[in-house]
Amino acid sequence: MKSSFKLALGLTSAISASAAVSSAAHAEDLTLCWAAWDPANALVELSKDFTKETGIGMKFEFVPWTNYADRFLNELNSHGKLCDLIIGDSQWIGGAAENGHYVKLNDFFDKEKISMDDFVPATVVGYSEWPKNTPNYWALPAMGDVVGWTYRKDWFSKPELQKEFKEKYGWDLGPPATFDQLKQIAEFFQKRQIDGKTVYGASIYTERGSEGITMGAMDVLYSYGFQYENPKKPYEMEGFVNSDKSVKGLEFYKALYDCCTPPGASNSYMGEGVDAFKSGQVAMHMNFAFTWPGLQKDENVGGDKIGYFVNPKGPDGEQFAQLGGQGISVVSYSDKQESALKYIKWFANKDVQAKWWSLGGYSCLNAVVKDPKFPASQPYAQTFLDSMAIVKDFWAEPSYAPLLQASQKRFHDYVVAGQGSAKDALDGLVKDWTQVFQDDGKM
């Protein structure tokens, strides 16, 4: 999903615009547009192989997350020629397809024998298809991502804490299987003294300005039974968005925020969550999987001190997680589409995808992630696999922006500001979303 508007890790200060793999620019240089973050560094390194193989130089326009959506959506809407290739957010697919911004890739895939069956199904639906669940492809899955959790494995394993926790809750302190268990763990650690320092239960998404609290709340609501619409009648949201199960899910998210987050957590997203975990403030940390390689390497909280777990189950055993990540597309306004398609073909290669994973990117190719050696390749690899198997995503409609703005306001007003009830928030969201779809002529 991630149109985050935040420089997520704080580890990548910024990648200079138009950083070039090839030192000498020439007519066939391609410019690839993406966000400025750690995976972009990995892509620069990876793309050196493309230049060696093809002689086509690569330039990169990487923009901090704070400006990513505004910068590149404006570029697309103005039919600009800056980007030959773009790694665009999953929710851009609908608008980019319907407005003619991306090249449709079906014929190219057929010609080059690139099959979408070779990629993780959720990433094909999330990053490539429009309309959803139809064989119409506008991108190649490029960067798999999903919301999951890290935890302080070293704290969880302290014998005295294990003993106290078991006596209090009746089960062994460890990665939670359910959201109820997660809240018990968060309450247990909230304002506890560990190694002479006051710590807190969990860092969760609460950010108001872009998409943060929507990503966090939905990550819980899905497992409580939330549905965007009637499966038998598109855009019928009454009784689904605001169902009793959805209400309970949103009430839980507010309860978790109220009981168990660190001070100053009223506007927290990816970067703030990483900071809270790295500084030793929290026992558990909700965040997208792309943060995990950097955290694993961190001297203070990484290595043997960190553990990973999949988004827990809801009360009825349902289990889903919020999809993140992006696909790579050829921009229809580019004068270098043939060369750009060569890059897509090269990037789809199994060996390239395997190296992409080794450098810190998240491959979506089945041949990589289903390799028997993959789960042992990184401490977080199995959690990534398990998480990608249960993903759901936010609306990918062309009008996703007002849809997202509505959920941001409704969720933040209730969860953080304490205005009204969860039922009020979700009833209001149905009203807001209905108005958007009516304006679009879809209702």
Side-chain angles (χ1 to χ4, degrees):
M1 169 74 185
K2 215 170 305 112
S3 61
S4 80
F5 310 99
K6 289 284 182 185
L7 179 58
L9 273 179
L11 302 177
T12 310
S13 58
I15 302 174
S16 61
S18 301
V21 166
S22 61
S23 57
H26 55 81
E28 278 304 311
D29 278 355
L30 294 173
T31 297
L32 188 153
C33 297
W34 200 12
W37 57 334
D38 280 5
N41 289 330
L43 191 65
V44 171
E45 184 65 27
L46 182 72
S47 297
K48 293 177 181 177
D49 292 343
F50 173 75
T51 297
K52 290 178 183 177
E53 291 179 21
T54 65
I56 299 171
M58 292 297 296
K59 297 188 296 182
F60 298 90
E61 188 76 13
F62 295 151
V63 176
W65 282 109
T66 43
N67 307 110
Y68 168 72
D70 286 345
R71 174 70 179 86
F72 291 131
L73 289 177
N74 286 337
E75 179 71 18
L76 293 173
N77 288 330
S78 65
H79 298 187
K81 294 182 179 293
L82 170 65
C83 309
D84 302 300
L85 293 153
I86 190 165
I87 300 182
D89 263 344
S90 57
Q91 76 272 23
W92 297 3
I93 283 287
E98 293 192 7
N99 294 314
H101 298 327
Y102 292 170
V103 173
K104 190 174 183 181
L105 297 175
N106 288 56
D107 291 344
F108 170 72
F109 286 166
D110 290 344
K111 177 185 175 184
E112 299 297 341
K113 295 181 171 53
I114 297 172
S115 173
M116 289 294 95
D117 291 339
D118 292 337
F119 292 83
V120 176
T123 68
V124 176
V125 175
Y127 311 153
S128 302
E129 291 181 353
W130 188 261
K132 296 300 181 185
N133 301 305
T134 69
N136 295 281
Y137 306 118
W138 306 88
L140 184 87
M143 174 70 189
D145 207 357
V146 60
V147 175
W149 296 78
T150 57
Y151 70 100
R152 287 299 299 267
K153 195 174 182 180
D154 54 338
W155 297 356
F156 279 45
S157 63
K158 288 179 178 289
E160 67 275 17
L161 295 185
Q162 289 185 332
K163 181 176 184 293
E164 181 184 344
F165 186 88
K166 182 69 175 286
E167 289 175 351
K168 184 172 184 178
Y169 294 106
W171 59 281
D172 293 328
L173 178 59
T178 68
F179 275 114
D180 283 345
Q181 290 183 345
L182 185 144
K183 188 168 181 285
Q184 289 176 4
I185 295 171
E187 290 171 337
F188 180 76
F189 280 102
Q190 184 72 0
K191 296 185 179 180
R192 179 173 291 273
Q193 293 288 314
I194 295 183
D195 299 329
K197 181 178 179 180
T198 302
V199 304
Y200 302 90
S203 171
I204 63 174
Y205 291 163
T206 58
E207 181 262 1
R208 168 70 176 86
S210 62
E211 65 170 19
I213 197 166
T214 298
M215 296 295 94
M218 295 312 307
D219 200 50
V220 171
L221 286 170
Y222 293 142
S223 295
Y224 269 75
F226 172 99
Q227 295 185 72
Y228 284 102
E229 57 193 343
N230 184 343
K232 299 178 180 178
K233 188 176 180 181
Y235 307 114
E236 182 179 273
M237 294 170 285
E238 182 65 39
F240 295 89
V241 168
N242 57 349
S243 68
D244 291 343
K245 291 181 176 182
S246 300
V247 169
K248 289 180 180 178
L250 192 55
E251 288 173 343
F252 175 89
Y253 199 72
K254 178 172 174 53
L256 186 62
Y257 169 74
D258 288 341
C259 79
C260 305
T261 53
S266 63
N267 195 42
S268 178
Y269 197 19
M270 297 179 290
E272 292 82 5
V274 166
D275 290 345
F277 192 80
K278 287 176 64 178
S279 63
Q281 286 189 66
V282 293
M284 297 179 293
H285 162 223
M286 164 192 279
N287 222 329
F288 283 102
F290 85 88
T291 62
W292 297 349
L295 291 173
Q296 181 65 37
K297 296 174 185 175
D298 188 84
E299 293 182 359
N300 297 318
V301 301
D304 294 337
K305 297 178 181 179
I306 190 172
Y308 307 87
F309 63 89
V310 180
N311 205 43
K313 295 178 181 178
D316 297 329
E318 295 185 78
Q319 187 176 24
F320 299 99
Q322 174 60 51
L323 181 69
Q326 303 94 25
I328 183 169
S329 300
V330 176
V331 177
S332 63
Y333 315 115
S334 167
D335 295 327
K336 304 170 186 175
Q337 292 182 22
E338 184 176 347
S339 294
L341 289 169
K342 288 181 181 178
Y343 188 93
I344 298 285
K345 179 182 178 181
W346 168 82
F347 189 73
N349 180 272
K350 177 185 175 182
D351 292 340
V352 174
Q353 286 289 305
K355 187 171 183 179
W356 176 226
W357 167 251
S358 71
L359 291 172
Y362 278 78
S363 176
C364 304
L365 189 69
N366 286 327
V368 173
V369 301
K370 291 187 177 180
D371 187 302
K373 297 178 181 178
F374 182 84
S377 64
Q378 294 289 351
Y380 45 80
Q382 187 63 57
T383 303
F384 171 68
L385 278 183
D386 295 342
S387 298
M388 289 302 295
I390 59 170
V391 292
K392 286 192 175 187
D393 199 10
F394 189 76
W395 294 108
E397 294 280 335
S399 293
Y400 87 88
L403 296 169
L404 182 60
Q405 289 164 358
S407 61
Q408 283 291 102
K409 183 181 188 306
R410 295 292 185 181
F411 290 157
H412 198 275
D413 284 353
Y414 168 65
V415 172
V416 176
Q419 298 177 13
S421 67
K423 184 69 162 60
D424 293 336
L426 293 169
D427 286 347
L429 194 54
V430 171
K431 187 180 299 183
D432 295 340
W433 285 355
T434 296
Q435 185 63 57
V436 172
F437 290 128
Q438 286 177 342
D439 291 346
D440 287 347
K442 294 185 174 180
M443 293 185 70

